[in-house]
Amino acid sequence: MSILFSILVFLHIVGAAMIVGYWIATLREPTVHPRQRDGAFVQLLTGIAMMGLFPLLPDADPNYFKLGVKFAIGVAVAVLAVIGSRKVKNGEPVSTGLAHGVGGLALVNIAIATLWN
């Protein structure tokens, strides 16, 4: 189980990199890239899978309140990323707030994951 959990953590980090990387790359002309939407879904799916594995890990002592906060922010990032990627697909302008909401909230989620003990 620990190998599967490690693979999920790896994929979770890749999802975060997809969101934040594209956000940093487009800071001068803020937009939402379709890969940010994909990264948000990767984050949600791997996060849910990791939560499902916690009871099976021998030394796991998860903070479910922290995980709930991260999940709520992750859902918000995914919703904003879907809205932004649909606007891009339809040729509509993406507001600066929407673009920064996707990347900024993802960055907040990373900070919660790493700084909240």
Side-chain angles (χ1 to χ4, degrees):
M1 281 300 146
S2 64
I3 292 173
L4 176 59
F5 190 82
S6 295
I7 292 169
L8 289 171
V9 169
F10 168 76
L11 292 173
H12 198 68
I13 292 170
V14 168
M18 290 170 69
I19 300 168
V20 176
Y22 278 109
W23 176 54
I24 291 171
T26 61
L27 273 176
R28 289 185 187 238
E29 294 179 26
T31 189
V32 176
H33 195 277
R35 297 298 79 79
Q36 286 178 296
R37 179 201 59 217
D38 299 342
F41 288 136
V42 166
Q43 287 247 285
L44 282 175
L45 292 174
T46 56
I48 292 168
M50 286 188 294
M51 282 191 66
L53 286 179
F54 273 135
L56 304 175
L57 297 174
D59 296 331
D61 185 26
N63 180 345
Y64 287 108
F65 182 72
K66 171 184 168 181
L67 295 174
V69 170
K70 285 183 51 57
F71 179 71
I73 293 172
V75 169
V77 169
V79 167
L80 292 175
V82 166
I83 293 169
S85 66
R86 283 187 181 171
K87 285 184 176 240
V88 168
K89 183 179 178 182
N90 295 333
E92 300 172 16
V94 176
S95 71
T96 303
L98 178 64
H100 290 317
V102 172
L105 284 174
L107 197 61
V108 167
N109 230 0
I110 294 168
I112 290 170
T114 56
L115 301 175
W116 184 347
N117 291 324

